[in-house]
Amino acid sequence: SSGAPDAKNLRVKLVLLGDSGVGKSCIVLRFVRGQFDPTSKVTVGASFLSQTIALQDSTTVKFEIWDTAGQERYAALAPLYYRGAAVAVIVYDITSPESFNKAQYWVKELQKHGSPDIVMALVGNKADLHENREVPTQDGIEYAEKNGMFFIETSAKTADNINQLFEEIAKRLPRPSS
Ligand code: GDP
Ligand code: MG
């Protein structure tokens, strides 16, 4: 085969959105490289990584991951970043209610201006910091349910639920008919 995307080999643009510091880059690095570097600096410049996963029905999904370098802070630039994205992963930090509010802002923004069939996942990251939790799991569940999103809590630090996040997204992608 040519390796071109088809019904069994999907290729999708995935963007991450959320407050600076919630762990977006760490989630990507954990998923793609299996690493967590607690000393890593804030992403400078645009970052682009890809990772392919295989599902049980032998479909493969290649995620082309756009990790923002802070463009999302400039509201006017955000649409350039998420344009054409099939998947948006909206991340907050479970120790930061402010970041949960910001996540809700991004959900609304994508509902207004994103692709109509975009798959959205709401992610409560830093689940390992449960002693400092300020956003109850139930709040994430309820908000995601109301907005038709997939919800999961993750830890890029311990790797908890990182692969599950991307597997669940892959399962929810619309399949082109062959
Ligand atoms: P970004 O700005 O959203 O890309 O956030 P980063 O990925 O750069 O992470 C910001 C900070 O949070 C870094 O100091 C990371 O080490 C830390 N961090 C990221 N994910 C986790 C996590 O799951 N648990 C803990 N405890 N710290 C994390
Ligand atoms: Mg980053």
mmCIF file of all heavy atoms in Angstrom, residues 13-17 66-69 71-72 77-83 85:
data_model
loop_
_atom_site.group_PDB
_atom_site.id
_atom_site.type_symbol
_atom_site.label_atom_id
_atom_site.label_comp_id
_atom_site.label_asym_id
_atom_site.label_seq_id
_atom_site.Cartn_x
_atom_site.Cartn_y
_atom_site.Cartn_z
ATOM 1 N N LYS A 13 -5.009 15.677 12.919
ATOM 2 C CA LYS A 13 -4.376 16.792 13.621
ATOM 3 C C LYS A 13 -4.985 16.914 15.010
ATOM 4 O O LYS A 13 -6.209 16.972 15.150
ATOM 5 C CB LYS A 13 -4.581 18.098 12.841
ATOM 6 C CG LYS A 13 -4.064 19.330 13.586
ATOM 7 C CD LYS A 13 -4.215 20.611 12.774
ATOM 8 C CE LYS A 13 -3.841 21.837 13.613
ATOM 9 N NZ LYS A 13 -3.987 23.108 12.849
ATOM 10 N N LEU A 14 -4.120 16.952 16.005
ATOM 11 C CA LEU A 14 -4.562 17.076 17.395
ATOM 12 C C LEU A 14 -3.896 18.304 18.013
ATOM 13 O O LEU A 14 -2.681 18.462 17.904
ATOM 14 C CB LEU A 14 -4.182 15.807 18.166
ATOM 15 C CG LEU A 14 -4.518 15.716 19.651
ATOM 16 C CD1 LEU A 14 -4.705 14.251 20.057
ATOM 17 C CD2 LEU A 14 -3.443 16.338 20.544
ATOM 18 N N VAL A 15 -4.695 19.169 18.605
ATOM 19 C CA VAL A 15 -4.127 20.326 19.300
ATOM 20 C C VAL A 15 -4.381 20.214 20.792
ATOM 21 O O VAL A 15 -5.376 19.634 21.224
ATOM 22 C CB VAL A 15 -4.705 21.670 18.799
ATOM 23 C CG1 VAL A 15 -4.348 21.912 17.336
ATOM 24 C CG2 VAL A 15 -6.214 21.750 18.999
ATOM 25 N N LEU A 16 -3.465 20.780 21.564
ATOM 26 C CA LEU A 16 -3.658 20.863 23.009
ATOM 27 C C LEU A 16 -3.903 22.314 23.377
ATOM 28 O O LEU A 16 -3.224 23.210 22.868
ATOM 29 C CB LEU A 16 -2.424 20.358 23.755
ATOM 30 C CG LEU A 16 -2.195 18.859 23.607
ATOM 31 C CD1 LEU A 16 -0.965 18.607 22.774
ATOM 32 C CD2 LEU A 16 -2.064 18.192 24.957
ATOM 33 N N LEU A 17 -4.889 22.516 24.244
ATOM 34 C CA LEU A 17 -5.202 23.861 24.715
ATOM 35 C C LEU A 17 -5.327 23.823 26.235
ATOM 36 O O LEU A 17 -5.647 22.779 26.815
ATOM 37 C CB LEU A 17 -6.521 24.342 24.096
ATOM 38 C CG LEU A 17 -6.467 24.655 22.590
ATOM 39 C CD1 LEU A 17 -7.879 24.731 22.011
ATOM 40 C CD2 LEU A 17 -5.712 25.956 22.344
ATOM 41 N N TRP A 66 0.080 19.124 17.745
ATOM 42 C CA TRP A 66 0.540 20.505 17.779
ATOM 43 C C TRP A 66 0.520 20.963 19.229
ATOM 44 O O TRP A 66 -0.535 21.065 19.837
ATOM 45 C CB TRP A 66 -0.385 21.414 16.957
ATOM 46 C CG TRP A 66 -0.445 21.106 15.503
ATOM 47 C CD1 TRP A 66 -0.608 19.869 14.926
ATOM 48 C CD2 TRP A 66 -0.365 22.048 14.420
ATOM 49 N NE1 TRP A 66 -0.632 20.014 13.571
ATOM 50 C CE2 TRP A 66 -0.492 21.314 13.213
ATOM 51 C CE3 TRP A 66 -0.217 23.440 14.362
ATOM 52 C CZ2 TRP A 66 -0.467 21.938 11.971
ATOM 53 C CZ3 TRP A 66 -0.202 24.053 13.127
ATOM 54 C CH2 TRP A 66 -0.301 23.298 11.947
ATOM 55 N N ASP A 67 1.701 21.187 19.763
ATOM 56 C CA ASP A 67 1.805 21.639 21.158
ATOM 57 C C ASP A 67 2.083 23.131 21.154
ATOM 58 O O ASP A 67 3.133 23.563 20.695
ATOM 59 C CB ASP A 67 2.946 20.870 21.842
ATOM 60 C CG ASP A 67 3.099 21.262 23.300
ATOM 61 O OD1 ASP A 67 2.121 21.785 23.877
ATOM 62 O OD2 ASP A 67 4.191 21.039 23.847
ATOM 63 N N THR A 68 1.143 23.881 21.647
ATOM 64 C CA THR A 68 1.266 25.341 21.580
ATOM 65 C C THR A 68 2.472 25.855 22.349
ATOM 66 O O THR A 68 2.833 25.350 23.401
ATOM 67 C CB THR A 68 0.011 26.039 22.113
ATOM 68 O OG1 THR A 68 0.312 27.416 22.338
ATOM 69 C CG2 THR A 68 -0.459 25.430 23.408
ATOM 70 N N ALA A 69 3.068 26.885 21.784
ATOM 71 C CA ALA A 69 4.177 27.557 22.466
ATOM 72 C C ALA A 69 3.666 28.836 23.111
ATOM 73 O O ALA A 69 4.402 29.790 23.279
ATOM 74 C CB ALA A 69 5.273 27.868 21.461
ATOM 75 N N GLN A 71 0.877 30.465 21.937
ATOM 76 C CA GLN A 71 0.067 31.265 21.002
ATOM 77 C C GLN A 71 -1.348 31.465 21.529
ATOM 78 O O GLN A 71 -1.996 32.455 21.198
ATOM 79 C CB GLN A 71 -0.064 30.568 19.642
ATOM 80 C CG GLN A 71 1.191 30.368 18.877
ATOM 81 C CD GLN A 71 1.726 28.954 19.081
ATOM 82 O OE1 GLN A 71 1.575 28.369 20.150
ATOM 83 N NE2 GLN A 71 2.366 28.410 18.058
ATOM 84 N N GLU A 72 -1.786 30.471 22.337
ATOM 85 C CA GLU A 72 -3.166 30.548 22.800
ATOM 86 C C GLU A 72 -3.409 31.733 23.731
ATOM 87 O O GLU A 72 -4.540 32.101 23.990
ATOM 88 C CB GLU A 72 -3.563 29.228 23.482
ATOM 89 C CG GLU A 72 -3.067 29.049 24.895
ATOM 90 C CD GLU A 72 -1.619 28.565 24.972
ATOM 91 O OE1 GLU A 72 -0.921 28.588 23.942
ATOM 92 O OE2 GLU A 72 -1.209 28.199 26.094
ATOM 93 N N LEU A 77 -4.624 34.694 17.687
ATOM 94 C CA LEU A 77 -3.815 33.670 17.021
ATOM 95 C C LEU A 77 -4.391 32.268 17.185
ATOM 96 O O LEU A 77 -4.080 31.373 16.412
ATOM 97 C CB LEU A 77 -2.384 33.682 17.568
ATOM 98 C CG LEU A 77 -1.548 34.902 17.243
ATOM 99 C CD1 LEU A 77 -0.135 34.726 17.785
ATOM 100 C CD2 LEU A 77 -1.504 35.139 15.733
ATOM 101 N N ALA A 78 -5.210 32.073 18.191
ATOM 102 C CA ALA A 78 -5.700 30.733 18.512
ATOM 103 C C ALA A 78 -6.358 30.030 17.322
ATOM 104 O O ALA A 78 -6.082 28.856 17.080
ATOM 105 C CB ALA A 78 -6.636 30.791 19.712
ATOM 106 N N PRO A 79 -7.206 30.738 16.542
ATOM 107 C CA PRO A 79 -7.851 30.044 15.417
ATOM 108 C C PRO A 79 -6.856 29.482 14.402
ATOM 109 O O PRO A 79 -7.115 28.445 13.788
ATOM 110 C CB PRO A 79 -8.732 31.119 14.784
ATOM 111 C CG PRO A 79 -9.002 32.087 15.897
ATOM 112 C CD PRO A 79 -7.729 32.101 16.709
ATOM 113 N N LEU A 80 -5.718 30.135 14.236
ATOM 114 C CA LEU A 80 -4.699 29.615 13.317
ATOM 115 C C LEU A 80 -4.180 28.284 13.819
ATOM 116 O O LEU A 80 -3.843 27.393 13.054
ATOM 117 C CB LEU A 80 -3.516 30.590 13.214
ATOM 118 C CG LEU A 80 -3.806 31.942 12.605
ATOM 119 C CD1 LEU A 80 -2.557 32.821 12.674
ATOM 120 C CD2 LEU A 80 -4.273 31.778 11.168
ATOM 121 N N TYR A 81 -4.113 28.189 15.110
ATOM 122 C CA TYR A 81 -3.561 27.006 15.756
ATOM 123 C C TYR A 81 -4.523 25.813 15.681
ATOM 124 O O TYR A 81 -4.126 24.714 15.339
ATOM 125 C CB TYR A 81 -3.250 27.407 17.188
ATOM 126 C CG TYR A 81 -2.781 26.323 18.099
ATOM 127 C CD1 TYR A 81 -1.533 25.740 17.929
ATOM 128 C CD2 TYR A 81 -3.574 25.902 19.154
ATOM 129 C CE1 TYR A 81 -1.104 24.748 18.795
ATOM 130 C CE2 TYR A 81 -3.152 24.927 20.016
ATOM 131 C CZ TYR A 81 -1.920 24.348 19.826
ATOM 132 O OH TYR A 81 -1.504 23.372 20.673
ATOM 133 N N TYR A 82 -5.798 26.049 15.957
ATOM 134 C CA TYR A 82 -6.710 24.902 15.994
ATOM 135 C C TYR A 82 -7.447 24.676 14.669
ATOM 136 O O TYR A 82 -8.210 23.712 14.550
ATOM 137 C CB TYR A 82 -7.675 24.971 17.184
ATOM 138 C CG TYR A 82 -8.600 26.154 17.256
ATOM 139 C CD1 TYR A 82 -9.621 26.324 16.336
ATOM 140 C CD2 TYR A 82 -8.455 27.089 18.274
ATOM 141 C CE1 TYR A 82 -10.480 27.402 16.429
ATOM 142 C CE2 TYR A 82 -9.302 28.179 18.375
ATOM 143 C CZ TYR A 82 -10.326 28.326 17.443
ATOM 144 O OH TYR A 82 -11.152 29.400 17.530
ATOM 145 N N ARG A 83 -7.189 25.506 13.664
ATOM 146 C CA ARG A 83 -7.836 25.319 12.364
ATOM 147 C C ARG A 83 -7.539 23.922 11.810
ATOM 148 O O ARG A 83 -6.388 23.482 11.791
ATOM 149 C CB ARG A 83 -7.333 26.370 11.378
ATOM 150 C CG ARG A 83 -7.844 26.150 9.956
ATOM 151 C CD ARG A 83 -7.249 27.154 9.011
ATOM 152 N NE ARG A 83 -7.653 28.508 9.371
ATOM 153 C CZ ARG A 83 -7.020 29.605 8.959
ATOM 154 N NH1 ARG A 83 -5.949 29.509 8.215
ATOM 155 N NH2 ARG A 83 -7.458 30.796 9.322
ATOM 156 N N ALA A 85 -8.164 21.121 13.016
ATOM 157 C CA ALA A 85 -7.903 20.068 14.006
ATOM 158 C C ALA A 85 -9.101 19.120 14.098
ATOM 159 O O ALA A 85 -10.243 19.560 14.205
ATOM 160 C CB ALA A 85 -7.609 20.676 15.372
#
